[in-house]
Amino acid sequence: MATDVTIPPLGESITEASVGQWLKQPGDAVKADEPIVSLETDKVAVEVPSPVDGVLTEHLAAVGDTVAVGSAIARVEAGAAAAAPAPKAEAPKAAEAPKAEAAKPAAAAPAPAAPAAAEAEAEADYDAISPAVRRLLGDYHLDPASITGSGKDGRLTKADVLTAIDNGSAKLLSSGAKPAAAAPKAARNEERVRMTRLRQTIARRLKEAQNTAAMLTTFNDVDMTAVIAARDTYRDMFEKKHGVRLGFMSFFVKAVTLALRDVPSVNAAIEGDEIVYRDYADIGVAVSSPGGLVVPILRDADKLSFAETEKAIGDFGRRARDGQLKLDELQGGTFTISNGGVFGSLMSTPIINPPQSGVLGMHRIEDRPVVRNGQIAIRPMMYLALSYDHRLIDGREAVTFLVRVKEAIEDPARLLLDM
């Protein structure tokens, strides 16, 4: 008996999604509640499970197709067993060849033949990889040969790559190595890949922010000496007690919540002809995912401890990479922190995430000469950038906010004393 696999409800106001990747192919055995397809919504990837045990008999949509909530996307034959692959036909024996031909010794193959065959085989294997998996390999600069595929005929799936990244078994391409997909130098190839729904949403919202808000960016720098010293002193004790590493982000989250309390307009939003002020701080922390940048929300961040903050951020990062963030974790937020420093950024002008009115950009820590007590000293410095909606936030308020953050980071005791 064939059973339709339908698209479940995906969250408030979401009526459709795109097929991102088929996790099971026709003829594969599936179990009840086993994911068979990954869908891409405007915010996250959602896996749709099989409703019954059986065999997947048919795909009703192709990768990239838009599917509506409630529509059938595949069929499963309940209770059926997977068909065994047919044995490959043996090549016909050359029994009719003249004996003289059989007696002739085989000609020696040219020396380059073996490398050429291996290269052709590697290129053929890469061609069998889906575009979504290719993008993921390219994003992380991974060697596909170092990852074991679990798909049909040993093909790589997105889950295989993410698992290899998580357990550290995936190998990076060496600086001199070329990916298996590299075409001969004489070739000039192009590949057209449809934008994911997440990337389309990111593009649309960023452009809306530029068209709507009167955006301006103010910069400052911060001496990280005190925070680095505190982290080095208490890192081992902190991890032993709380089971999580002490990073820099929890210091900045705390510093931002104190600054938002002192400069409430940065935590406010414009709605029509009204300004909405909040007495709480829901901080969005931008994290990287295979599909693009996502911003999960730390609810009531002003009430979280350092350990609670670090645990939440670490959990967000892992689940963003695995595509397991929930929709409600990406909605709302009153202010955003984006850390481009983890990718090596020295300075940038981040774009606000509407309807928020501000975003703080962190950057890489770099030893630079600065003047301290009339003497030139080498200190670990970081540039901070606050992009804000100038319709709501004046320059004086923006500068005051950055100075509050700077003071709290350069004197971490303020974070403990709520100053």
Side-chain angles (χ1 to χ4, degrees):
M1 176 181 175
T3 301
D4 285 346
V5 181
T6 59
I7 308 299
L10 301 174
E12 183 180 356
S13 75
I14 297 180
T15 60
E16 61 183 21
S18 297
V19 179
Q21 180 185 14
W22 282 103
L23 307 177
K24 294 290 183 178
Q25 300 299 323
D28 290 349
V30 297
K31 296 181 179 179
D33 299 326
E34 182 180 9
I36 63 173
V37 63
S38 175
L39 303 179
E40 295 176 348
T41 70
D42 290 347
K43 294 181 177 292
V44 294
V46 179
E47 292 182 343
V48 178
S50 171
V52 294
D53 293 344
V55 172
L56 180 65
T57 59
E58 185 180 2
H59 292 166
L60 300 180
V63 172
D65 286 355
T66 298
V67 290
V69 171
S71 63
I73 194 172
R75 288 195 176 96
V76 174
E77 188 69 28
K88 293 182 179 179
E90 295 184 0
K93 296 180 179 179
E96 300 176 0
K99 292 183 179 180
E101 290 292 322
K104 290 182 180 179
E119 183 178 349
E121 182 179 354
E123 290 181 358
D125 290 343
Y126 192 90
D127 289 340
I129 299 175
S130 70
V133 178
R134 292 189 204 180
R135 288 199 306 274
L136 186 56
L137 290 169
D139 289 344
Y140 289 92
H141 305 289
L142 300 179
D143 182 0
S146 68
I147 305 173
T148 302
S150 63
K152 190 175 182 180
D153 298 328
R155 293 180 181 177
L156 284 182
T157 67
K158 185 182 283 188
D160 295 330
V161 179
L162 293 173
T163 299
I165 294 172
D166 190 44
N167 60 29
S169 62
K171 295 181 180 179
L172 295 173
L173 287 168
S174 61
S175 58
K178 295 182 180 180
K185 291 183 178 179
R188 290 168 56 85
N189 297 328
E190 293 182 351
E191 180 185 11
R192 291 182 180 271
V193 179
R194 185 175 179 178
M195 291 176 67
T196 64
R197 294 184 68 89
L198 176 58
R199 176 54 59 185
Q200 292 178 42
T201 301
I202 291 172
R204 185 180 69 252
R205 289 180 60 81
L206 292 180
K207 190 58 183 173
E208 286 176 356
Q210 290 184 318
N211 292 341
T212 303
M215 278 202 302
L216 185 63
T217 303
T218 296
F219 298 92
N220 209 324
D221 61 1
V222 58
D223 188 340
M224 297 291 290
T225 301
V227 165
I228 291 175
R231 182 172 177 262
D232 290 343
T233 300
Y234 299 107
R235 177 168 47 194
D236 293 340
M237 287 186 289
F238 186 89
E239 185 172 2
K240 183 177 180 180
K241 180 175 181 179
H242 299 291
V244 65
R245 293 181 179 179
L246 177 62
F248 295 126
M249 185 60 79
S250 55
F251 287 92
F252 277 92
V253 169
K254 283 295 181 185
V256 162
T257 57
L258 290 179
L260 291 176
R261 184 193 61 188
D262 291 345
V263 190
S265 61
V266 182
N267 199 42
I270 295 176
E271 291 187 4
D273 58 357
E274 297 179 332
I275 300 175
V276 180
Y277 292 95
R278 289 89 167 225
D279 64 354
Y280 57 90
D282 289 346
I283 305 298
V285 180
V287 296
S288 181
S289 75
L293 200 68
V294 292
V295 188
I297 308 299
L298 285 170
R299 308 289 179 188
D300 294 317
D302 50 322
K303 299 176 183 178
L304 298 179
S305 66
F306 277 75
E308 290 170 335
T309 301
E310 291 291 353
K311 287 178 181 178
I313 293 173
D315 180 59
F316 284 154
R318 285 188 295 273
R319 291 193 290 123
R321 188 181 58 213
D322 296 339
Q324 296 177 350
L325 288 174
K326 299 177 181 178
L327 286 172
D328 59 356
E329 294 174 320
L330 301 171
Q331 295 173 340
T334 62
F335 187 84
T336 294
I337 301 176
S338 180
N339 185 7
V342 297
F343 304 109
S345 171
L346 177 64
M347 186 180 293
S348 66
T349 56
I351 300 178
I352 62 177
N353 182 23
Q356 297 173 20
S357 299
V359 53
L360 179 71
M362 298 167 53
H363 300 90
R364 76 169 184 252
I365 301 171
E366 186 176 62
D367 286 341
R368 292 201 298 271
V370 295
V371 177
R372 294 289 184 266
N373 300 319
Q375 301 293 322
I376 296 177
I378 303 298
R379 294 295 178 91
M381 304 297 293
M382 175 194 289
Y383 286 117
L384 299 179
L386 175 69
S387 291
Y388 57 96
D389 189 344
H390 209 351
R391 298 177 301 165
L392 173 61
I393 303 167
D394 295 331
R396 176 184 60 83
E397 294 171 312
V399 172
T400 300
F401 175 89
L402 274 182
V403 169
R404 292 288 184 271
V405 173
K406 175 183 172 71
E407 291 173 344
I409 295 299
E410 293 183 344
D411 184 8
R414 290 173 176 266
L415 302 177
L416 301 177
L417 299 175
D418 196 21
M419 299 177 62

